């Protein structure tokens, strides 16, 4: 599924729609260069899960946990990770439960330690906006994409 979003507001709205598409936890890899909107998308997901407080980028802490009305959400930013083995010291495996939604920015930095994703989202420039390519990896990921397809046509404009 490809989605073209005009601006930051559309990215956040798409994140909220993505949150609504998740029926039971999951692992979502967010890929894209610096400044593409991965954290903005994550902020939208958290808002869509019912989180009302601030959402900070976990660039230095590696993970920020959120207890939302929709269930636990863990936002990972592995940009500053120098060795995937560092994730073992975080107790990384404890985060990946059936109920938890895990959003992972820079997943390549955790290769070999992270579980496989349910959904991968590649974010790239598209004019002044962003183009998102959603690739489901599991049945759970496919269900997210199917649910999204029913709700996001009004966000994008051009598909």
């Amino acid at each position: 599924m490809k989605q073209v979003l005009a601006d930051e507001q559309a990215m956040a709205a798409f994140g909220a729609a993505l949150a609504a598409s998740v029926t039971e936890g999951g692992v979502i890899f967010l890929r894209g260069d610096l400044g593409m909107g991965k954290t903005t998308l994550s902020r939208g997901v958290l808002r869509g899960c019912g989180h009302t407080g601030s959402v900070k980028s976990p660039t230095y802490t590696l993970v920020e946990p959120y207890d939302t009305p929709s269930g636990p959400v863990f936002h990972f930013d592995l940009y500053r990770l120098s060795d995937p083995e560092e994730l073992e010291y975080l107790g990384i495996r404890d985060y990946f439960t059936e109920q938890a939604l895990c959003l992972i920015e820079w997943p390549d930095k955790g290769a070999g330690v992270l579980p496989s994703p349910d959904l991968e989202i590649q974010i790239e420039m598209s004019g002044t906006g962003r183009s998102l390519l959603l690739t489901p990896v599991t049945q759970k990921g496919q269900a997210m994409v199917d649910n999204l397809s029913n709700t996001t046509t009004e966000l994008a404009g051009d598909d």
Side-chain angles (χ1 to χ4, degrees), residues 29-33 36 38 104-108 117 120-124:
F29 283 4
L30 303 174
R31 301 180 188 277
D33 292 336
M36 286 297 107
K38 297 179 295 294
I104 305 172
E105 298 183 34
W106 303 99
D108 294 344
E120 292 190 42
I121 302 177
Q122 178 69 44
I123 307 171
E124 298 177 347

Side-chain angles (χ1 to χ4, degrees), residues 22-88:
V22 176
T23 55
E24 57 168 36
V27 177
I28 301 175
F29 283 4
L30 303 174
R31 301 180 188 277
D33 292 336
L34 283 171
M36 286 297 107
K38 297 179 295 294
T39 299
T40 300
L41 178 62
S42 297
R43 188 174 294 117
V45 169
L46 283 156
R47 296 280 181 253
C49 288
H51 178 72
T52 57
S54 67
V55 176
K56 52 189 169 180
S57 176
T59 301
Y60 293 100
T61 59
L62 297 181
V63 62
E64 285 292 331
Y66 297 91
D67 187 21
T68 75
S70 298
V73 178
F74 299 103
H75 180 199
F76 295 85
D77 183 337
L78 306 183
Y79 181 73
R80 298 204 181 277
L81 190 70
S82 57
D83 184 337
E85 290 301 314
E86 291 176 46
L87 294 173
E88 295 293 354

Side-chain angles (χ1 to χ4, degrees), residues 143-156:
M144 291 178 203
V145 170
D146 292 345
N147 292 339
L148 267 170
S149 296
N150 298 328
T151 61
T152 59
T153 52
E154 69 280 358
L155 293 175

Side-chain angles (χ1 to χ4, degrees), residues 113-148:
V113 176
L114 293 174
S116 296
D118 294 299
L119 179 65
E120 292 190 42
I121 302 177
Q122 178 69 44
I123 307 171
E124 298 177 347
M125 290 294 298
S126 178
T128 58
R130 301 292 187 267
S131 172
L132 281 66
L133 178 62
L134 285 75
T135 305
V137 179
T138 65
Q139 287 182 335
K140 188 184 284 190
Q142 185 62 57
M144 291 178 203
V145 170
D146 292 345
N147 292 339
L148 267 170

